[in-house]
Amino acid sequence: MPEAAVLIEPVPAMESEAEVVHPVGIDMVHRTRPEDAFPRNWVRLGHDRFSVAAVLPHDHPFFAPVGGDRHDPLLVAEAMRQAAMLAFHAGYGVPLGHHFLMADLDYVCHPEHLGVGGAPAEVDVEVFCSDLKWRSGLPVQGRVGWAVYRDGRLAATGTGATRFTSPQVYRRMRGEVPAEGISIPRSAPVPTARAGRTRAQDVVLSPTARGGVWELRVDTRHPTLFQRPNDHVPGMLLLEAARQAACLVAGSGGILPMEASTRFHRYAEFGSPCSIGAVVLPHATGDTVAVQVTGHQDGEPVFSTVMSGPRAEA
């Protein structure tokens, strides 16, 4: 049974006769802690178009501000992902408890509109759904587009492909994999600052004997990355691993990943080493750098991404 919805106080919004503003329960965005749920309310703008009011916190312990006092691009990506889950659950009636599986996720952030300034940022996330395939009156897969506005200015865009499965179908698909995995890392993390982090508990890579290759460091006790039982490594942890690997190869100061194009090929499983490799791509211009990051487990590709953006200050 899904947990009872915990309502988050909605941000004040203008309401017209044609637009009904709905509050958000954190279960609709698959979170268990209110501080990790960023949408506040939503409005249907059209049959396949929604507007989600969200707040980007300025003091989140994991999604902390990055170079030049900007909101973390991965915070923006997570807000977009949560807005999509909300649209499908609340807008299309996908039942709570269904699994939300993303095959790819691309985003572009505009840092000039992501300044923090010591206060939360209220943003409007427009969600566009397309190429929907239906079964028994419910969407089972489709594409999602996002446009994030702050004070009327375009702060980020993104696209992704997603599909949904019922708990019963998901368990059949996963076979004998336990429904809840537990992982406590035994290897030391890479140096915190070199990974682009300020807290050792947020470092998700361990060193290896191979240059440009690290081992994924999974700690299911992490309060943000693991909010409820999971049978595989979450995609957000893989994106964070990619960011940290990109920082490690980008040189002094690392990289601010304002753009990313990611493909998820298979699940990353608990209990088996997952290697993360990174290489700086040629043709960097000025302070901008692009890094290709790949993850492999048991000889098979898990994910691949290209992250690009300005070099962070050392």
Side-chain angles (χ1 to χ4, degrees), residues 5-275:
V6 179
L7 291 183
I8 303 172
E9 190 68 25
V11 173
M14 297 299 294
E15 182 174 356
S16 70
E17 294 181 357
E19 297 179 346
V20 178
V21 178
H22 305 275
V24 176
I26 62 174
D27 50 350
M28 292 182 182
V29 296
H30 297 197
R31 301 289 88 182
T32 58
R33 305 194 317 162
E35 59 265 40
D36 295 320
F38 307 123
R40 295 296 185 264
N41 58 55
W42 67 279
V43 172
R44 184 187 290 274
L45 300 179
H47 188 267
D48 296 315
R49 183 179 168 216
F50 306 86
S51 177
V52 177
V55 172
L56 305 181
H58 67 293
D59 56 357
H60 194 280
F62 181 74
F63 294 110
V66 295
D69 198 34
R70 294 291 184 266
H71 286 288
D72 184 353
L74 295 193
L75 167 61
V76 178
E78 175 63 10
M80 292 193 297
R81 190 182 74 91
Q82 291 185 15
M85 289 189 288
L86 172 62
F88 278 98
H89 283 310
Y92 293 108
V94 173
L96 298 176
H98 274 48
H99 293 263
F100 181 88
L101 314 172
M102 294 213 76
D104 59 68
L105 175 62
D106 299 345
Y107 71 79
V108 176
C109 291
H110 303 291
E112 65 272 21
H113 301 313
L114 290 174
V116 179
E122 297 182 6
V123 296
D124 294 312
V125 184
E126 289 198 16
V127 182
F128 311 87
C129 302
S130 62
D131 300 330
L132 298 177
K133 298 187 183 302
W134 300 77
R135 184 177 301 131
S136 301
L138 293 174
V140 293
Q141 69 180 68
R143 290 206 62 81
V144 183
W146 297 276
V148 181
Y149 294 92
R150 182 182 184 186
D151 298 327
R153 299 180 177 89
L154 186 64
T157 56
T159 61
T162 185
R163 59 193 177 97
F164 305 91
T165 60
S166 68
Q168 296 79 11
V169 171
Y170 182 79
R171 288 318 313 164
R172 289 199 299 268
M173 181 176 67
R174 296 291 283 150
E176 298 180 357
V177 176
E180 180 179 1
I182 297 175
S183 177
I184 299 176
R186 304 189 184 281
S187 56
V190 300
T192 304
R194 289 195 59 216
R197 304 299 309 192
T198 59
R199 305 188 309 173
Q201 70 193 72
D202 297 329
V203 177
V204 298
L205 297 178
S206 293
T208 71
R210 294 181 291 167
V213 178
W214 298 268
E215 183 175 321
L216 187 65
R217 191 169 184 271
V218 181
D219 190 343
T220 52
R221 299 169 300 179
H222 195 285
T224 296
L225 294 173
F226 290 93
Q227 302 236 333
R228 55 186 182 175
N230 210 327
D231 68 345
H232 64 275
V233 177
M236 183 50 64
L237 193 155
L238 298 178
L239 280 179
E240 178 59 32
R243 181 238 294 274
Q244 294 184 18
C247 284
L248 287 163
V249 299
S252 179
I255 180 178
L256 302 177
M258 293 298 171
E259 299 185 27
S261 179
T262 306
R263 302 294 177 266
F264 298 102
H265 306 300
R266 55 169 292 214
Y267 292 114
E269 307 289 359
F270 297 115
S272 180
C274 180
S275 63

